[in-house]
Amino acid sequence: MNFPPWPQADEREAELLRMVLESPQWGGFHPFIEEFEHSFAAYQQSAFGISAFNGTVTLELALTILGIGPGDEVIVPAISFVSSATAVSRVGAVPVFADIQPGSFNLDPQRVREAITPNTKVVMAVHFGGAMCDVEALGQICADRGLFLLEDAAHAHGAEWAGKRAGTFGVAGSFSFQNGKVLSCGEGGMLVTSDADFAGQARSIANCGRAPGRSFYEHHRIGTNFRMSAFQAAVLLAQFERLPDQITLRTANARLLKRLLEDVGEIGWQEQPVAVTQNPYYLLIGRLSRGVSRESFCQALSLAGVPNTPFYPHALYENPAYQNAACRVMPCPVAKDRIRDAFWLPHRVLLADEPTIHRVAGAMRNAVRGQCFVGALADESLPVVEPVR
Ligand SMILES: Cc1ncc(COP(=O)(O)O)c(C=O)c1O
């Protein structure tokens, strides 16, 4: 099957990269950095954008500014990329793993309530795959209990809840521009916020403790160097021009694929609350039921040429890193189920043309029905079902 490659670039990236190459500033002080920070923060409806060289250090930076450290707890979902948890550990605090909702695969507000202790300082909302968490419920919990809401929006460029973009619900939102993300420069990250004090601290810490308008060699706090390079910003500016159209195409293709598979009850899709008004579809996440083996399903898709991933192999707390590191684990039966039955398609599948989406639907239908057929043959009491080809 013919899927567009990812990442993808054309003459526009080359043109902007050439401008950097031919300039005397390849580092973090090229005007492209500020231009991209302004444009992306505005796109996310935030007042400030502070770029960095990846979306892991931006989480660590945000937690540092919030004063999170030893003795503090941060509630994170049991299902996410490891940085959501290790950022907490790296600042010396304790990640508390809470379960996800069965349908949305996102942090469950009720499980968050149960995980709160006097040591809890932050709730980290990860918008998994690009589908927004229930930010209303999580925001209310944080407001009631005096906690910070921090959005790990690494998957959520352009994601919206009731017309409001990811990154605007908590104190800040952390984005990643890593190789596979829907907005990518290979490696990169950004914090967006509308809190001027938070933004000022973030910018200063990420830039060696410098202060605006002061001498280059005057350092006002113990900072570090998290600066993004001009090459990263050049690529991001070009990629950013295509993002809105790509989101529109992925949204249309996700709808089409789901419609084509409406009658295949064995496949369920990640649920989105009605308040979700935009999903960038970093991942199209589904799950299998009625005895369909996720492993056989994913293998059949791979054989048919459809890129897919059989979900994360572990809940975050099952990673070897957390066998020894300090953490607290709440009961997570839903996360454990999803580890066994869920899968995702990467976003480039949804950038394919319409005939290819029809072929993807056919491959998915076959991957399910083939198994029903084998199951039916094994059980002679059932009528024989013809496999769909
Ligand atoms: C949910 C989540 N948070 C954080 C990160 C870290 O981003 P980066 O790879 O840019 O460090 C990722 C990266 O894949 C992610 O998926």
Side-chain angles (χ1 to χ4, degrees):
M1 282 191 222
N2 201 11
F3 297 104
W6 195 268
Q8 49 183 249
D10 64 19
E11 196 40 45
R12 183 68 176 139
E13 277 80 359
E15 180 194 358
L16 296 180
L17 282 168
R18 224 175 290 118
M19 285 169 72
V20 174
L21 265 179
E22 289 166 4
S23 82
Q25 177 54 263
W26 291 2
F29 301 100
H30 190 284
F32 279 177
I33 305 278
E34 218 179 297
E35 186 182 340
F36 179 65
E37 286 178 340
H38 279 297
S39 311
F40 186 70
Y43 180 72
Q44 293 301 142
Q45 302 171 344
S46 294
F48 308 100
I50 303 94
S51 58
F53 52 68
N54 65 52
T56 297
V57 293
T58 46
L59 288 172
E60 295 177 20
L61 178 57
L63 291 167
T64 303
I65 295 165
L66 297 178
I68 306 307
D72 295 332
E73 292 185 343
V74 176
I75 299 175
V76 300
I79 297 295
S80 182
F81 183 67
V82 75
S83 300
S84 311
T86 50
V88 177
S89 307
R90 299 272 306 172
V91 299
V94 173
V96 177
F97 297 100
D99 210 358
I100 55 170
Q101 294 172 314
S104 77
F105 303 13
N106 273 327
L107 197 50
D108 187 328
Q110 183 50 33
R111 302 285 94 85
V112 169
R113 277 189 205 96
E114 292 160 7
I116 294 172
T117 70
N119 295 331
T120 309
K121 296 286 163 17
V122 179
V123 174
M124 192 182 293
V126 181
H127 306 303
F128 185 39
M132 293 286 293
C133 290
D134 185 342
V135 277
E136 264 164 43
L138 294 174
Q140 194 57 56
I141 293 169
C142 290
D144 292 346
R145 305 298 293 264
L147 310 175
F148 294 112
L149 179 66
L150 176 62
E151 294 175 69
D152 180 349
H155 300 180
H157 317 72
E160 270 178 25
W161 178 277
K164 260 185 94 187
R165 294 257 158 108
T168 60
F169 294 90
V171 59
S174 171
F175 288 83
S176 166
F177 308 119
Q178 170 269 340
N179 204 59
K181 299 295 185 288
V182 295
L183 184 58
S184 175
C185 60
E187 303 284 358
M190 193 183 295
L191 282 180
V192 302
T193 182
S194 292
D195 179 326
D197 181 51
F198 183 99
Q201 289 190 57
R203 195 172 295 293
S204 177
I205 294 173
N207 184 19
C208 304
R210 294 190 173 95
R214 304 303 299 244
S215 156
F216 191 76
Y217 291 116
E218 196 176 291
H219 306 277
H220 293 255
R221 30 170 85 74
I222 305 301
T224 184
N225 180 359
F226 283 164
R227 291 189 308 271
M228 171 182 275
S229 86
F231 296 109
Q232 290 169 292
V235 173
L236 285 166
L237 280 170
Q239 299 272 315
F240 190 42
E241 291 169 7
R242 303 188 197 103
L243 179 68
D245 285 348
Q246 288 171 339
I247 291 179
T248 304
L249 178 59
R250 279 194 294 267
T251 304
N253 278 338
R255 270 202 204 112
L256 173 62
L257 187 62
K258 289 178 190 179
R259 186 167 59 69
L260 292 170
L261 291 168
E262 249 164 20
D263 60 320
V264 183
E266 291 84 351
I267 301 176
W269 300 106
Q270 181 182 29
E271 287 167 14
Q272 304 195 92
V274 280
V276 172
T277 40
Q278 183 156 272
N279 179 345
Y281 282 107
Y282 170 55
L283 305 172
L284 179 63
I285 308 174
R287 76 182 179 99
L288 298 158
S289 58
R290 304 184 193 173
V292 173
S293 149
R294 193 263 314 270
E295 271 55 43
S296 309
F297 174 84
C298 287
Q299 275 167 16
L301 282 194
S302 298
L303 280 173
V306 180
N308 69 88
T309 300
F311 213 67
Y312 290 120
H314 316 285
L316 277 186
Y317 58 83
E318 291 170 333
N319 275 290
Y322 282 104
Q323 302 313 306
N324 298 317
C327 67
R328 196 153 62 77
V329 183
M330 299 297 292
C332 295
V334 178
K336 285 188 159 178
D337 280 350
R338 292 302 84 84
I339 294 290
R340 282 191 292 269
D341 64 17
F343 66 93
W344 67 67
L345 307 185
H347 60 92
R348 75 189 182 94
V349 169
L350 297 177
L351 292 177
D353 56 21
E354 204 177 310
T356 306
I357 298 298
H358 280 261
R359 283 197 285 277
V360 172
M364 295 182 93
R365 181 184 296 275
N366 281 351
V368 167
R369 290 285 147 79
Q371 286 191 42
C372 295
F373 178 62
V374 172
L377 283 183
D379 181 350
E380 288 175 1
S381 65
L382 292 172
V384 174
V385 181
E386 282 299 316
V388 179
R389 294 193 193 283

